[in-house]
Amino acid sequence: METIPEKTGSTQAPAGFILTALLVGIFAVGLTVAVSATPDLSVNVMLDRDTIGLDEQALLQVEISGESQNLPAPVLPTLPTFEIYSQGRSSSINIVNGKVTSSVVYRYLLLPQKPGVFPIDQISVVYNNRRHKGNAVELTVVDAGSASPQELEDRALDTEGDSRDYFMEAVVDKKEPFVNEQVTLTLKFYIAVRYYGSPELTEPTTTGFWTEVIGNKAPYFQKINDRRYKVIERKYALFPTQTGKLTIGRAAIRTTVAGKRRQKRDPFDVFDFGDFFGRGVEVTARSRPITVDVQPLPRAERPDDFTGTIGSFSIRVSADKSQVEVNQPVTVTVAITGTGNIKSVAEPVIPELDDFRVYRASSSEKLSASGDKFGGTKIFEEVFIPRRPGTLEIPAFKFNYFDPGKNRYVTGSTRPMPLMVTRPEGYVASQDQPYVSPDMTIGSEARGIRHIKFQLGQVTPRGRVILLTPLFLLVNSLPVLLLAGTVLLRRRREKLAADVGYARARGAARLARKRLAKAKTLAQVQQAGEFYAEVYQVLTSYIADKLNISPHGLTTESIAELLRQRAADEKLVADVSRVIEECDFARFAPASLTQQDIDRSLEQVETVMIGIEGVRFA
Amino acid sequence: MRRLCFALVASAVFAMLLSSAVRAQTEEFAAANKFYEEKDYPSAIRLYLSVLNQHGESPTLYLNLGNAYFKAGDLGHAVLYYTRAKRRDPSDEDIAHNFMFARQFSRVQMEGVQLNPISAFLSSIVDPYRLDAMAWLTCALFLVFMLFLVIRYGLGVVSPAVRIGAIVAVVFLFVVGGLTSFKYRTDYLTRRAVIIADECPVRTGASEQSDMELQGAPGLVVEIMSETSDYYNVLFENKRRGWVKKELVAEI
């Protein structure tokens, strides 16, 4: 009996095996995550022309775009029938709503080696171990000089059969489009001579079309009738808005070309630097008008809810939440993407739903051009508010359009989306609003709000703001006034203490009034001597204090002189002198005075004092 | 003597008028409350508005008005008056509760609300306090600071205690004064409005012909950025902008 040999090390195998399996598993999961996390990458291959002559060249552009900022270079297949020269690359980065997308365009010049039809379909990009293939294009190479159609060659000749220096062509890709179907208008300006500055274009009239500019193509060269023309190209997407024959008007382009050199007969012409400095001849080229016959859309099989959208579109829908509570909003985004007049795409119709209240939140458009085809994405945001708990269904969205490529009406639709709607605490059913909680009801039966209050409280005028009330401003200004007052008071005190002259001058009036009051008490015949002595003191002390000088030794003359020096009125000087003289007289002969003399003197001295107070002593 | 008599009579007349006005507003307010209790919300609203227009505003009056509108099924006006009540007295729990409660009923909830972190921080500090209280606190701090200045420069007292006191007072003054200014700017200088109409199309321009940007809903609070004769240019909490007809919103 054959025995199966026992595997050596089998007892140790589980640990190592498990470890290995784990590592492999982790690697596999990691790889899966990495692959699944790989951002989308697109490779778009474009040729500037479909057909070229054998002695011409074509520009091949490979556009790689994706969410990564480090996009790899494309891998070109072997193209033995062409010489290939790299023309460099250009890159751009877009940041929309925090999402970064970048694109790089690699340019290659293809020089054909032989005539024929050559597919270019193996251009790819390897990124994160995945190969992303680009779209296939086809380049037709014809014999030298026959790349241009006969009509173009005829256009390049003038009536005398000479080759034109410049001319303009306008072509459309469709002569019998459907209404609202894109017609691509291409304007080409051919110029074989030197020109200055940027040519100035007058756009063609496109009455009856809704027009979008696709853009300008990079200038290229083309040989026509053995002459090398520089071609400037501009494309438009035209969407006819009515049926019948519509005319695209002439376009015109104006530029300045180098003038033809004259034979110099005048010897001074050697100083004519006109052409050298770029002066030339202004010329204008015009295209020929084009008439297109716009066809109506077929009536057969036209859906009832068709809104007139033409093109090729896809529709997708997404919701920002998959689980919500009753009465909480879910934003559903419907995106319609494709080629065609994206602005005319109508909002998908949402029927009345028992389970949801639906509100339209917003719509937006993002226009783009893919090659010559105009299109983009139109986004509608709808707010769905579930009325009841349970597993509800956001319905499928339908969108009808006419696809001119397939010549039939197409209905794009999405799948219904499940939505888990949960029931918040406290929900009960009622007949009117079956799945709404009493707390969540607005109206007379509403519960959950706190009751009214019965004390009105302090009522203030409407719109009153405390910051602007007079009371507030007053309270705030009081401390400022207090500070200013105390500071001024302190400064005054300090000055009075430090400056004797200032103190005497400031106190002169007060002292004089005091003495005058005392004099009034002495205004009697019996005390005439004391009265006049006091009046004398009033006058001399006041003037001495004001001038910070000693009152002793002041005479009538010196007082008069001092008053004159301070520009006192001469009458005042005379009055003062008279009063002082009267005082002197009365002090030494008081017996001859009557009560009337004393009263008159008192009156005079009061008048004089008022006058002296008006004199500027400082 | 005659002057004294005149002053006494004038004071008595003024006191009587004041007393009768207070009694009238109290009676009207009580009558409005009675209508509310009897579930006659339109009558309650009418009387509350009469008190408001004739006598002035109070947080309680706004709260009761908000409740009456809420019970009458008018969410826009309910949120409007709760907002006004909250502005007058942010510390009142009943007002805050009803305000938050009512806002849940707006058909459209603002998502993607972006708050300036500095503003949000400052708001979290000042939100519980009344502007009046903050203004008087600022005033008191100003008074204290000025007193220190009076002691130092008016009375000439030079001491480290006075200097430190003045520095502390001025620091508090700047902090509280800054917060008061922030609250005043947020609550009063920034113009806000509440959508009160059931259907409030928000348009891309100030005309009926402009495209509709979104549909506003009653109870949504917006900031007024500019205005034409018929339209407000408003900013929603989630920073979306648009034009709404003036008659569809009420300024807070």
Side-chain angles (χ1 to χ4, degrees):
Chain A
M1 183 179 160
E2 194 179 358
T3 57
I4 300 169
E6 193 175 310
K7 284 184 182 172
T8 56
S10 61
T11 52
Q12 298 159 357
F17 176 76
I18 289 167
L19 186 65
T20 310
L22 268 175
L23 286 173
V24 169
I26 290 167
F27 177 74
V29 169
L31 191 65
T32 310
V33 170
V35 169
S36 63
T38 302
D40 286 340
L41 200 76
S42 67
V43 182
N44 188 22
V45 181
M46 295 165 283
L47 274 170
D48 65 335
R49 284 181 289 164
D50 301 334
T51 307
I52 56 171
L54 194 55
D55 55 351
E56 292 176 348
Q57 57 204 21
L59 185 68
L60 175 72
Q61 295 188 86
V62 182
E63 184 183 22
I64 302 158
S65 51
E67 292 174 15
S68 169
Q69 292 184 44
N70 299 311
L71 296 170
V75 180
L76 260 58
T78 310
L79 298 170
T81 51
F82 295 97
E83 280 181 35
I84 303 173
Y85 298 97
S86 173
Q87 293 288 290
R89 64 176 195 167
S90 60
S91 58
S92 65
I93 294 177
N94 287 320
I95 302 174
V96 179
N97 295 331
K99 190 177 176 183
V100 180
T101 56
S102 58
S103 73
V104 186
V105 179
Y106 290 85
R107 287 185 295 277
Y108 303 93
L109 209 57
L110 305 183
L111 272 60
Q113 303 296 306
K114 60 178 183 182
V117 178
F118 303 104
I120 304 171
D121 58 356
Q122 291 296 321
I123 296 176
S124 61
V125 172
V126 178
Y127 185 62
N128 280 354
N129 298 322
R130 282 181 65 192
R131 182 176 291 276
H132 301 262
K133 270 182 71 177
N135 55 303
V137 291
E138 201 174 71
L139 181 59
T140 305
V141 180
V142 294
D143 284 337
S146 59
S148 308
Q150 187 60 44
E151 195 181 349
L152 190 60
E153 290 181 357
D154 293 345
R155 279 284 283 161
L157 298 174
D158 61 15
T159 49
E160 294 169 5
D162 293 336
S163 174
R164 291 178 192 268
D165 289 341
Y166 53 86
F167 63 96
M168 194 173 190
E169 267 295 275
V171 287
V172 291
D173 64 339
K174 283 189 188 74
K175 288 283 185 124
E176 293 183 347
F178 287 109
V179 66
N180 208 17
E181 182 188 358
Q182 179 180 335
V183 177
T184 306
L185 168 68
T186 307
L187 296 179
K188 291 182 180 178
F189 177 54
Y190 296 82
I191 185 159
V193 292
R194 225 170 110 205
Y195 64 97
Y196 306 117
S198 299
E200 191 182 315
L201 175 72
T202 304
E203 311 269 5
T205 53
T206 54
T207 309
F209 294 92
W210 178 73
T211 307
E212 286 283 342
V213 176
I214 295 174
N216 295 344
K217 206 171 186 180
Y220 59 90
F221 291 94
Q222 187 174 352
K223 223 168 198 179
I224 305 168
N225 296 338
D226 287 334
R227 197 168 179 197
R228 195 164 178 260
Y229 285 87
K230 185 176 184 179
V231 186
I232 301 169
E233 208 174 289
R234 182 173 173 84
K235 285 180 186 283
Y236 302 82
L238 307 181
F239 298 91
T241 56
Q242 60 195 73
T243 55
K245 288 190 191 299
L246 296 175
T247 301
I248 301 165
R250 290 172 184 273
I253 197 160
R254 196 171 63 187
T255 189
T256 305
V257 300
K260 292 202 173 170
R261 230 171 246 288
R262 294 178 283 158
Q263 198 173 357
K264 293 184 174 65
R265 290 179 186 165
D266 186 342
F268 292 100
D269 274 357
V270 295
F271 299 108
D272 184 2
F273 297 110
D275 274 1
F276 182 80
F277 288 116
R279 195 181 71 184
V281 181
E282 193 173 89
V283 296
T284 303
R286 289 185 180 82
S287 67
R288 287 183 290 199
I290 302 171
T291 301
V292 293
D293 190 4
V294 182
Q295 306 296 312
L297 291 174
R299 289 189 178 278
E301 297 176 3
R302 183 186 294 183
D304 292 338
D305 52 354
F306 178 68
T307 56
T309 306
I310 293 187
S312 176
F313 298 95
S314 63
I315 182 170
R316 66 174 197 280
V317 66
S318 62
D320 64 339
K321 293 170 198 148
S322 58
Q323 184 172 342
V324 287
E325 288 185 347
V326 173
N327 275 335
Q328 293 303 309
V330 179
T331 303
V332 176
T333 305
V334 183
I336 295 170
T337 306
T339 55
N341 188 350
I342 201 76
K343 287 188 175 177
S344 70
V345 172
E347 182 181 8
V349 178
I350 304 167
E352 280 293 317
L353 301 170
D354 292 337
D355 293 340
F356 295 97
R357 294 200 305 263
V358 184
Y359 300 97
R360 181 186 167 193
S362 68
S363 69
S364 61
E365 296 156 354
K366 188 179 169 191
L367 305 178
S368 62
S370 172
D372 290 348
K373 290 293 175 190
F374 190 77
T377 302
K378 191 154 188 175
I379 294 171
F380 300 95
E381 282 187 352
E382 319 282 350
V383 176
F384 280 66
I385 300 176
R387 293 178 195 266
R388 66 175 181 87
T391 305
L392 306 186
E393 200 171 69
I394 292 171
F397 288 83
K398 284 187 179 176
F399 168 66
N400 293 312
Y401 61 94
F402 180 78
D403 189 336
K406 296 175 182 169
N407 200 19
R408 64 182 173 86
Y409 293 96
V410 179
T411 301
S413 64
T414 63
R415 289 181 181 173
M417 281 191 301
L419 181 69
M420 283 291 295
V421 183
T422 55
R423 176 193 302 246
E425 241 178 87
Y427 266 65
V428 292
S430 78
Q431 201 169 1
D432 296 336
Q433 290 191 299
Y435 295 100
V436 175
S437 105
D439 283 354
M440 293 300 289
T441 304
I442 183 167
S444 60
E445 299 306 318
R447 281 157 47 184
I449 61 164
R450 295 194 181 168
H451 204 56
I452 57 167
K453 294 185 179 182
F454 295 94
Q455 294 300 317
L456 183 55
Q458 189 190 359
V459 177
T460 53
R462 287 181 74 179
R464 193 201 71 161
V465 183
I466 188 71
L467 292 170
L468 306 175
T469 56
L471 175 68
F472 189 78
L473 297 174
L474 178 70
V475 170
N476 276 282
S477 59
L478 280 178
V480 178
L481 296 174
L482 179 68
L483 177 65
T486 53
V487 167
L488 287 175
L489 196 65
R490 185 180 164 215
R491 288 182 66 180
R492 187 167 174 275
R493 277 185 187 156
E494 285 174 354
K495 196 168 181 183
L496 286 172
D499 188 343
V500 177
Y502 175 76
R504 283 185 68 190
R506 297 287 299 179
R510 186 169 44 82
L511 207 59
R513 278 194 290 275
K514 207 171 169 183
R515 282 186 172 138
L516 200 57
K518 189 181 174 187
K520 281 180 182 173
T521 62
L522 300 172
Q524 292 169 13
V525 178
Q526 297 83 354
Q527 295 173 308
E530 289 87 344
F531 168 75
Y532 281 102
E534 199 59 42
V535 169
Y536 183 81
Q537 279 288 321
V538 169
L539 286 171
T540 54
S541 294
Y542 179 80
I543 292 167
D545 286 347
K546 279 285 185 189
L547 298 172
N548 193 24
I549 57 175
S550 172
H552 302 293
L554 280 177
T555 61
T556 308
E557 290 74 23
S558 63
I559 287 172
E561 186 58 31
L562 285 170
L563 288 175
R564 283 195 192 96
Q565 284 173 5
R566 267 93 189 151
D569 184 30
E570 199 56 44
K571 182 176 178 302
L572 178 67
V573 175
D575 289 345
V576 171
S577 299
R578 192 172 61 251
V579 171
I580 291 172
E581 281 168 2
E582 278 180 15
C583 288
D584 283 342
F585 176 76
R587 280 159 65 195
F588 298 110
S592 60
L593 293 170
T594 63
Q595 186 62 40
Q596 285 80 11
D597 295 332
I598 291 170
D599 291 342
R600 195 184 67 247
S601 297
L602 186 61
E603 196 177 320
Q604 280 178 349
V605 78
E606 282 177 340
T607 310
V608 163
M609 283 303 296
I610 290 168
I612 291 177
E613 280 186 16
V615 177
R616 290 177 63 89
F617 287 95
Chain B
M1 190 63 186
R2 282 180 63 187
R3 281 184 185 173
L4 182 66
C5 285
F6 179 75
L8 283 173
V9 169
S11 301
V13 169
F14 179 72
M16 279 174 61
L17 288 174
L18 195 66
S19 162
S20 66
V22 169
R23 196 167 54 244
Q25 78 187 25
T26 310
E27 283 172 3
E28 218 169 3
F29 182 70
N33 289 344
K34 194 160 179 273
F35 278 126
Y36 182 93
E37 297 280 39
E38 291 166 358
K39 297 192 175 180
D40 184 356
Y41 301 115
S43 300
I45 290 169
R46 184 173 45 77
L47 282 185
Y48 284 137
L49 287 175
S50 168
V51 176
L52 179 67
N53 292 329
Q54 288 181 31
H55 306 292
E57 60 188 5
S58 86
T60 302
L61 183 57
Y62 282 140
L63 169 72
N64 290 7
L65 254 173
N67 276 12
Y69 272 114
F70 189 85
K71 290 278 190 179
D74 187 340
L75 181 64
H77 279 98
V79 172
L80 171 71
Y81 286 109
Y82 287 143
T83 311
R84 286 182 179 171
K86 194 165 173 283
R87 187 169 70 173
R88 301 299 305 175
D89 189 359
S91 60
D92 189 305
E93 283 184 10
D94 294 334
I95 292 171
H97 173 270
N98 285 3
F99 172 73
M100 293 302 294
F101 187 76
R103 288 198 68 181
Q104 295 177 67
F105 288 83
S106 186
R107 288 198 302 262
V108 178
Q109 299 290 324
M110 284 289 117
E111 294 199 341
V113 174
Q114 299 160 14
L115 292 175
N116 179 330
I118 297 170
S119 298
F121 173 69
L122 295 176
S123 293
S124 69
I125 296 172
V126 301
D127 269 354
Y129 305 106
R130 298 169 68 149
L131 179 65
D132 288 13
M134 292 185 69
W136 283 121
L137 180 62
T138 307
C139 179
L141 286 168
F142 180 63
L143 194 63
V144 170
F145 173 62
M146 294 304 283
L147 278 177
F148 277 112
L149 292 188
V150 167
I151 293 168
R152 170 65 186 83
Y153 297 104
L155 305 179
V157 177
V158 181
S159 106
V162 174
R163 189 187 306 156
I164 291 168
I167 290 170
V168 171
V170 81
V171 168
F172 275 102
L173 176 63
F174 270 107
V175 172
V176 178
L179 289 172
T180 307
S181 304
F182 174 78
K183 189 169 180 66
Y184 177 56
R185 188 184 70 86
T186 311
D187 286 2
Y188 288 89
L189 296 185
T190 305
R191 293 177 70 192
R192 288 198 169 79
V194 176
I195 294 176
I196 53 171
D198 274 345
E199 298 291 331
C200 179
V202 182
R203 300 186 181 278
T204 54
S207 71
E208 286 280 357
Q209 285 72 42
S210 301
D211 288 341
M212 197 169 83
E213 180 83 13
L214 62 139
Q215 183 70 261
L220 285 183
V221 181
V222 295
E223 187 178 333
I224 298 171
M225 308 304 290
S226 60
E227 64 182 302
T228 63
S229 56
D230 296 330
Y231 281 83
Y232 283 131
N233 183 12
V234 298
L235 178 70
F236 286 82
E237 287 171 307
N238 61 356
K239 302 300 174 199
R240 291 188 71 166
R241 290 179 78 143
W243 293 85
V244 295
K245 270 195 158 180
K246 284 184 173 177
E247 66 213 39
L248 306 181
V249 299
E251 199 167 344
I252 296 167

